[in-house]
Amino acid sequence: MLRHFTQTRSIHSTRTLFNLKAAIADAIPKRREELLRIKKNFSDVKVGDITVGSVLTGMRGNQSMYWESTTLDPNEGIRFHGRTIADCQKMLPGAPEDNGDGEFLPESMLWLLMTGEIPTEEQSRQLTQELAERGAKLPSHTEKLLTSLPRDMHPMTQLAIALASMNKESIFAKKYEEGSIGKKDYWEYIYEDVLNLIAVLPRITGKIYSSLVNDGEPLGHFNVEKDWSYNIASLLGMTVRDSVNVHSLTKERSNDFVNLIRLYCGIHVDHEGGNVSAHTTHLVGSALSDPYLSYSSGIMGLAGPLHGLAAQEVVRFLVEMENDVDSVENVKQVEDYLWKVLNSNRVIPGYGHAVLRKPDPRFDAMLNFTEARPQEFKSNAKVQLMKNLSKIAPRVLQKHGKTKNPYPNVDSASGILFHHYGIDQLLFITVIFGCSRAMGPLSQLVWDRILGIPIERPKSLDLSSIKKLCKI
Ligand SMILES: CC(=O)SCCNC(=O)CCNC(=O)[C@H](O)C(C)(C)COP(=O)(O)OP(=O)(O)OC[C@H]1O[C@@H](n2cnc3c(N)ncnc32)[C@H](O)[C@@H]1OP(=O)(O)O
Ligand SMILES: O=C([O-])CC(=O)C(=O)O
């Protein structure tokens, strides 16, 4: 049901607005005015030159997208409305029951992405509760559809299908079809769809996973009193209460797993606009396809091995390499393994990046998670191999001489940590990425509609036009 924000807005100042929609509404007039003023007065200002090289190499370095909530610096990594990961870890509220000891909640990050403001504990709590209420039920047709899919269909394909099927629920699509809304109102209904979509991701994820490992029988139940990440963990059967606790985790280890999900989902939300999943969501949304269709398309991009699927590929890579070498400490054997891959013209998954030119700070954040728990991880050879590789692979890639960035990206650490706690369905790992990535691109989609960003339609060039430009 559509929530009315205007009443809350008239009573509270931005600081005390507890409802996310009210906080966004409060920020709209200033931002719309700013963008309009810039469009009117500065549209001729040059951003940069587009080269033939950029046209022929995936638009690399071409600054031509408007993106609100995150910016990527090649050397320093991602910032969320100007805040580094470390800032977010200091400032964003975590789960009340963790008393400041756990990771921040992805819900707190969602508030930051949508509003540009650090939420208070109360705002974070309210949003957590709102998402839990919205996400308590999966539409029955989506549930049935997921049940009917072949068990061996790739989990990312299942996720994309489930999301696309929810287009049936789209409030925006319905209003648009009725002709009952004008351009200025679009954002309100896009917002409702976006929140409903993010809210059901734990349920969709749990359903896909239970179909893989438990004949479709639920492994846990959704607890409306709990946060989004906790519910993901429960539905994967990884909590002591609220799930069958598949791996008999102790309370402490289960709590660590929940915090791993919070950390992972908190920092994978967005990587500015140009990455494949974000750009696709934005592009499809620019045709006014509703958020379910837009993000389903984003998921299909995330499912590519050069993008999000690298998370799965890294785990497969580590498992295979560990089997192949005598010891993960044997540097020579690890190097030889890497050369074998490179010489067969394949990529080392988890290494390299289209924009970053230093180790990914998200990789460091995942590594810090293991370093804070030395006892937990010390006897896991694959986790040790992941760490050793982060020193060995850059040397090998530098010697190989092709890769512009020889350092680890986020995918090189993340999946193996889930695997460590028992998520051993390797093809499933990127689905958790898909839960997180919804938050950034879909926040942008709300702002795209607030600001009236038009349909995206770059001009393409054929070879004869390129030759003419090159005077060939
Ligand atoms: C969440 C994420 O999406 S993070 C990225 C996850 N993807 C991976 O980890 C897959 C492995 N990495 C790669 O394939 C690449 O580094 C990408 C796709 C991430 C970036 O691609 P690009 O911007 O084209 O990288 P770059 O400009 O450095 O590529 C130059 C050459 O080095 C190669 N190269 C880049 N990374 C690697 C790697 N990890 N292993 C081997 N070769 C590599 C490229 O394939 C390219 O070869 P080519 O000239 O024969 O076509
Ligand atoms: O920025 C990119 O191109 C890829 C990436 O790391 C992400 O999307 O998280």
Side-chain angles (χ1 to χ4, degrees):
M1 196 205 299
L2 196 65
R3 276 147 225 265
H4 288 287
F5 64 91
T6 38
Q7 285 165 347
T8 343
R9 194 183 160 202
S10 57
I11 324 171
H12 298 293
S13 75
T14 318
R15 283 281 144 219
T16 52
L17 291 172
F18 292 139
N19 173 279
L20 178 59
K21 195 169 186 182
I24 294 173
D26 211 62
I28 288 177
K30 186 165 169 255
R31 298 266 278 280
R32 271 193 179 145
E33 196 271 323
E34 261 176 359
L35 196 95
L36 261 175
R37 191 162 48 83
I38 293 174
K39 249 190 350 192
K40 189 162 162 238
N41 300 315
F42 301 99
S43 274
D44 292 340
V45 173
K46 259 183 116 176
V47 177
D49 292 317
I50 297 174
T51 60
V52 167
S54 158
V55 174
L56 296 180
T57 58
M59 298 188 273
R60 214 61 96 254
N62 174 352
Q63 302 180 78
S64 55
M65 266 184 98
Y66 171 66
W67 202 258
E68 187 62 36
S69 49
T70 58
T71 312
L72 182 62
D73 180 275
N75 295 311
E76 286 172 11
I78 194 67
R79 282 179 185 259
F80 308 88
H81 278 291
R83 263 101 182 183
T84 62
I85 291 172
D87 295 336
C88 292
Q89 286 179 312
K90 267 188 229 119
M91 298 162 96
L92 289 177
E97 66 267 24
D98 279 351
N99 295 317
D101 281 343
E103 302 292 339
F104 66 81
L105 293 176
E107 290 90 328
S108 303
M109 175 59 92
L110 178 60
W111 186 288
L112 171 63
L113 293 171
M114 288 264 197
T115 66
E117 304 278 339
I118 299 286
T120 62
E121 299 274 347
E122 181 62 7
Q123 286 168 329
S124 168
R125 201 181 58 74
Q126 293 268 353
L127 180 56
T128 301
Q129 199 179 330
E130 181 177 348
L131 279 182
E133 282 164 12
R134 286 178 187 251
K137 276 201 89 164
L138 188 59
S140 60
H141 68 90
T142 301
E143 178 120 26
K144 273 192 214 135
L145 180 64
L146 279 170
T147 306
S148 74
L149 297 177
R151 298 272 149 90
D152 59 354
M153 176 182 275
H154 195 285
M156 288 297 278
T157 315
Q158 297 192 38
L159 176 58
I161 289 173
L163 287 169
S165 81
M166 284 192 62
N167 144 273
K168 187 170 173 303
E169 313 299 313
S170 169
I171 303 173
F172 171 76
K174 190 159 175 288
K175 292 276 172 192
Y176 193 90
E177 198 180 300
E178 284 168 7
S180 57
I181 50 171
K183 287 182 184 173
K184 285 245 157 41
D185 313 316
Y186 290 170
W187 80 269
E188 281 199 53
Y189 303 93
I190 293 282
Y191 173 89
E192 295 299 327
D193 284 348
V194 161
L195 252 72
N196 289 338
L197 186 162
I198 294 171
V200 295
L201 285 168
R203 277 210 170 272
I204 295 180
T205 302
K207 178 82 187 144
I208 294 171
Y209 191 67
S210 69
S211 160
L212 269 176
V213 302
N214 205 32
D215 274 339
E217 286 304 311
L219 292 159
H221 80 262
F222 188 95
N223 184 342
V224 282
E225 304 294 320
K226 292 287 194 176
D227 61 272
W228 189 78
S229 310
Y230 177 93
N231 276 313
I232 294 178
S234 286
L235 295 165
L236 298 181
M238 300 292 282
T239 53
V240 173
R241 293 180 57 200
D242 296 315
S243 95
V244 297
N245 193 2
V246 192
H247 301 291
S248 308
L249 299 176
T250 60
K251 199 162 170 256
E252 195 191 355
R253 293 190 75 221
S254 159
N255 197 40
D256 277 353
F257 182 78
V258 172
N259 271 303
L260 175 64
I261 298 263
R262 289 180 185 140
L263 171 67
Y264 179 91
C265 288
I267 64 177
H268 279 69
V269 286
D270 206 16
H271 217 227
E272 72 173 25
N275 69 76
V276 172
S277 50
H279 189 183
T280 308
T281 307
H282 170 79
L283 168 68
V284 175
S286 83
L288 297 187
S289 307
D290 66 62
Y292 300 106
L293 297 180
S294 305
Y295 192 56
S296 169
S297 315
I299 285 295
M300 296 202 194
L302 194 69
L306 297 188
H307 188 26
L309 210 74
Q312 153 198 317
E313 291 302 289
V314 169
V315 184
R316 277 156 36 103
F317 189 68
L318 292 171
V319 169
E320 281 165 23
M321 198 188 316
E322 195 219 346
N323 278 336
D324 202 74
V325 297
D326 296 334
S327 151
V328 298
E329 303 301 335
N330 189 327
V331 177
K332 171 83 175 63
Q333 283 188 354
V334 171
E335 281 180 354
D336 287 349
Y337 193 95
L338 296 177
W339 279 113
K340 202 169 66 189
V341 174
L342 291 171
N343 290 336
S344 61
N345 217 7
R346 288 180 291 147
V347 297
I348 310 283
Y351 286 79
H353 201 274
V355 180
L356 277 168
R357 292 295 173 259
K358 287 275 161 64
D360 191 334
R362 298 172 297 177
F363 169 78
D364 294 335
M366 302 306 295
L367 215 57
N368 291 344
F369 183 91
T370 65
E371 253 124 57
R373 296 163 180 81
Q375 287 305 321
E376 173 71 37
F377 291 103
K378 75 168 195 261
S379 50
N380 185 322
K382 292 175 202 61
V383 173
Q384 295 314 314
L385 179 57
M386 173 272 284
K387 289 187 190 182
N388 295 347
L389 258 189
S390 70
K391 297 190 186 82
I392 300 169
R395 284 202 306 266
V396 171
L397 282 166
Q398 259 157 349
K399 209 162 174 192
H400 184 241
K402 269 184 158 185
T403 314
K404 293 195 188 71
N405 168 12
Y407 302 110
N409 61 53
V410 69
D411 290 330
S412 67
S414 49
I416 203 64
L417 304 190
F418 294 131
H419 187 267
H420 168 84
Y421 285 99
I423 306 296
D424 53 7
Q425 295 294 315
L426 306 189
L427 305 192
F428 172 77
I429 280 163
T430 312
V431 172
I432 309 178
F433 196 160
C435 290
S436 169
R437 185 48 60 94
M439 293 195 176
L442 290 177
S443 297
Q444 178 67 30
L445 208 62
V446 172
W447 278 98
D448 285 348
R449 296 296 79 82
I450 290 172
L451 298 173
I453 304 291
I455 189 163
E456 193 169 290
R457 198 341 184 153
K459 176 91 186 79
S460 57
L461 288 170
D462 62 13
L463 192 59
S464 76
S465 320
I466 290 176
K467 279 160 86 178
K468 220 182 271 167
L469 282 167
C470 300
K471 300 190 175 52
I472 301 175

